[in-house]
Amino acid sequence: QHRRPCPVSVTWLVLPAGLGVQQLPPTATVPAGGSVTLSCTFRSHNQTGTKVTWARGSREAVVLDPAHPFYQGRLAKSQQDEQGRAEATVTLSELMERDSDLYRCYITYPQGEQAKGSGTALTVMGR
C-alpha cells in the first residue's frame, strides 16, 4: 500500500517549474505620509497578455484599484518586459496607518496559469 501524497504539495503541481515570482521587499516600514514601491519579477516568455494584479490582505485579497476613492492620486502601477523577464511595480504614496497590510502580486499568464508573489508586509508608522 503506497501512501497518498501530502495534499499541500498538490496545489503547487499545477504550476510548471520556472514560474517563480520574486517579490521585493519582503517587509517595509514607512512613516505616514511617505511612499513605498513594491516590485514583482517573473518570467514573461515575451508573451503578450500576461496580467498582473496587485492585492492586499492576508485572508481576503482586495484588489488595488487606482480609480477607488481611497487610492485616487496615490497609486501608480507599471510593467516592463525585458528578454524573457518582466517586472511589475506598484507605488503607493501619501501612506496612512490604515495602508498597513500584506501586499501581493498575482500573475495570470495567457494560458490561464497563475503564480503569485510571496507578499510584502507593509507597516506604516504614525506621525
Side-chain angles (χ1 to χ4, degrees):
Q1 57 180 42
H2 51 274
R3 286 162 45 207
R4 299 222 314 271
C6 164
V8 176
S9 60
V10 172
T11 51
W12 290 107
L13 296 177
V14 178
L15 297 180
L19 280 186
V21 179
Q22 185 186 28
Q23 182 171 342
L24 293 170
T27 59
T29 305
V30 186
S35 68
V36 67
T37 298
L38 313 177
S39 83
C40 273
T41 310
F42 53 95
R43 297 211 174 158
S44 70
H45 310 296
N46 299 332
Q47 295 160 326
T48 52
T50 302
K51 189 174 158 238
V52 179
T53 305
W54 289 92
R56 63 178 287 178
S58 43
R59 287 207 187 88
E60 228 172 275
V62 179
V63 173
L64 301 186
D65 178 7
H68 190 282
F70 184 65
Y71 293 113
Q72 212 141 30
R74 52 190 211 101
L75 185 66
K77 297 194 273 190
S78 75
Q79 191 175 332
Q80 288 176 314
D81 286 273
E82 287 172 31
Q83 193 75 42
R85 286 184 85 60
E87 184 186 23
T89 62
V90 65
T91 301
L92 199 52
S93 50
E94 295 164 49
L95 289 169
M96 304 176 240
E97 283 180 71
R98 55 189 180 135
D99 286 316
S100 299
D101 212 335
L102 180 76
Y103 290 80
R104 188 173 280 172
C105 63
Y106 293 83
I107 318 296
T108 308
Y109 292 92
Q111 306 93 326
E113 295 159 347
Q114 285 190 307
K116 63 183 177 181
S118 48
T120 297
L122 173 66
T123 307
V124 181
M125 317 260 279
R127 290 185 191 279

